[in-house]
Amino acid sequence: MSSMSLKPEKEGTDVVEIASSDDEGGVGVERRSNQQVQTDQVGQQTIVPLPPGEPPLSRSFWKAGAYDNTPSKLTPAPDQLEHARVHPKFLHSNATSHKWAFGAIAELLDNAVDEICNGATFVKLDRIDNQKDNSPALLFQDDGGGMDPESIRKCMSLGYSSKKSNTTIGQYGNGFKTSTMRLGADVIVFSRASHTSRATQSIGLLSYTFLRRTGQDDVIVPMVDFDISDHWAEPIIYSSKEDWSANLKTILEWSPFASKEELMQQFEDIGPHGTKIIIYNLWLNDEGIFELNFDDDDEDIRLRDEANRGSLSKVHKRVAELQSHISYCIRYSLRAYASILYLRKFTKFQIILRGKPVEQFNIADELKYPKVVIYRPQHNTAIKEASVETTIGFIKEAPALGVSGFNVYHKNRLIRPFWKVTSDGTSKGNGVVGVLEANFIEPAHDKQDFERSSLFIRLETKLKQMLMDYWFVSSVWFTCSH
């Protein structure tokens, strides 16, 4: 099914170059208040005025939401249902829930892991090149069940008006939108699925750049679908062929792909089912450099700002050892973070980062003098609560390294790594680490912390007690043995 022909369309295609800023030797575009500065490959700069009325486009994530936009006045067609408008600014403000770029990546990894029940055996993450301007783009690809036309609309749309079903679809798959928009301004999704003897493939574009440049006051997500049940791609028309062609034209204008043929080629390595996500126009940091660093390690993706904080040329040996520990590496190395992201090791599934599988790691497996402590949360419910097992012990580098804290998981997913429950400045608990799965408390929206409920506060108190009890019993024995 990988070789799929496309019925010829009569309409031509206009190609619009996507402006970008590239620190890796390509052609860059820097946007200022009312002009853009284009930089060619030899460093020559040309100042080009922006089109009249076009808002300046910041490539820094934390500044990208600061723009004024004159709302357009759109009236729905008579056969369309009116729906609550969601301004494109919401895409950005919604994505600010992810303070940390790796938290956004983890959200997309979660989606792929959830597809294990649908037969997924891998998720690939890699850097690819935007075919229009050679800027870096971020690829996620899995071989899960994929999304049919209805599912991809639920995933990508904030408010969806369907003429076919004559109903409105509300907010679905919010994690997909917050995570992709946190990593880059634009995302294109390719998905192939087979449900009830019908095979389909769909393409959807969520483009902050498109929405801003065209002055939209509503989040418009152009999508096209194909029926591939007969081993060739037949466009699925919901309203009219003109609408379908208009969606395709918008996708071609604002995506990294200049032709229908290039779009269809993206399905060739997906197989009979699966999903490919390409995030492009990646965000820059405050210095105008890509936030994600693809250059320092060909087998990793790093956070440039976090890595630079510990890159002093001369550091004390103890500091160097601390910075090489997993507790520090997860701040800037995606390979390190992904290695501890899931508590239980996969048996038939792999996270493949830049061509190399991630080796999963549980620090509890190498603790010295480990002890298992049982904790029973005090639920005010009639349901008998499950006990929580916490494995606690000294890290293998103790007492040389003072790393401490608890890796707290929720439903197999790491939420708080190396959570330090003792007061700053105290040496009590140095070198002691614990691992537990706390399914009885709810994670926050970005899955990087927990909601501060009464259960959470009781857990924090219990972990402090657990740490102190272990410290007083084991520290003397541990110190004497060294």
Side-chain angles (χ1 to χ4, degrees), residues 320-334:
E321 291 174 348
L322 178 62
Q323 291 178 353
S324 64
H325 191 265
I326 184 72
S327 61
Y328 189 89
C329 292
I330 60 175
R331 301 179 187 182
Y332 66 86
S333 166
L334 182 58

Side-chain angles (χ1 to χ4, degrees), residues 265-451:
Q265 286 173 5
Q266 295 302 308
F267 289 101
E268 291 185 359
D269 63 345
I270 290 181
H273 50 79
T275 298
K276 178 185 291 187
I277 298 168
I278 299 174
I279 304 170
Y280 57 104
N281 285 333
L282 301 176
W283 297 117
L284 310 181
N285 64 13
D286 291 340
E287 285 71 44
I289 306 173
F290 284 106
E291 184 178 24
L292 297 178
N293 182 350
F294 301 97
D295 300 327
D296 288 352
D297 190 334
D298 292 338
E299 296 179 345
D300 200 1
I301 298 173
R302 297 191 170 187
L303 285 182
R304 195 179 305 274
D305 293 345
E306 292 289 344
N308 289 343
R309 288 190 180 124
S311 60
L312 299 177
S313 57
K314 292 183 179 180
V315 295
H316 191 275
K317 179 182 178 182
R318 183 71 59 87
V319 176
E321 291 174 348
L322 178 62
Q323 291 178 353
S324 64
H325 191 265
I326 184 72
S327 61
Y328 189 89
C329 292
I330 60 175
R331 301 179 187 182
Y332 66 86
S333 166
L334 182 58
R335 182 168 293 277
Y337 179 56
S339 72
I340 66 169
L341 187 58
Y342 301 101
L343 178 60
R344 289 174 285 279
K345 294 183 178 180
F346 302 121
T347 56
K348 298 180 180 179
F349 183 85
Q350 286 185 317
I351 299 173
I352 304 173
L353 177 57
R354 306 199 73 181
K356 180 180 178 181
V358 171
E359 184 176 345
Q360 289 184 269
F361 171 69
N362 185 348
I363 198 169
D365 294 337
E366 58 177 34
L367 293 178
K368 297 178 180 178
Y369 312 111
K371 179 181 179 182
V372 176
V373 181
I374 304 299
Y375 171 55
R376 292 179 174 82
Q378 297 177 6
H379 284 290
N380 293 321
T381 64
I383 302 175
K384 185 178 180 181
E385 66 211 28
S387 59
V388 177
E389 291 186 356
T390 300
T391 302
I392 188 170
F394 285 98
I395 60 172
K396 64 179 183 180
E397 297 87 354
L401 292 185
V403 172
S404 63
F406 290 86
N407 284 353
V408 188
Y409 292 77
H410 179 268
K411 296 182 179 178
N412 197 42
R413 161 74 137 79
L414 180 63
I415 305 298
R416 291 201 67 164
F418 297 96
W419 176 23
K420 190 173 176 61
V421 295
T422 54
S423 302
D424 291 336
T426 180
S427 61
K428 294 179 180 179
N430 278 355
V432 179
V433 166
V435 178
L436 67 150
E437 185 175 25
N439 295 336
F440 57 92
I441 51 178
E442 290 300 319
H445 180 73
D446 64 352
K447 297 181 183 176
Q448 296 301 308
D449 203 346
F450 290 99
E451 299 289 349

Side-chain angles (χ1 to χ4, degrees), residues 251-278:
I251 291 172
L252 292 173
E253 286 180 352
W254 297 96
S255 80
F257 307 100
S259 68
K260 292 177 287 188
E261 289 71 26
E262 288 182 8
L263 283 175
M264 302 303 281
Q265 286 173 5
Q266 295 302 308
F267 289 101
E268 291 185 359
D269 63 345
I270 290 181
H273 50 79
T275 298
K276 178 185 291 187
I277 298 168
I278 299 174

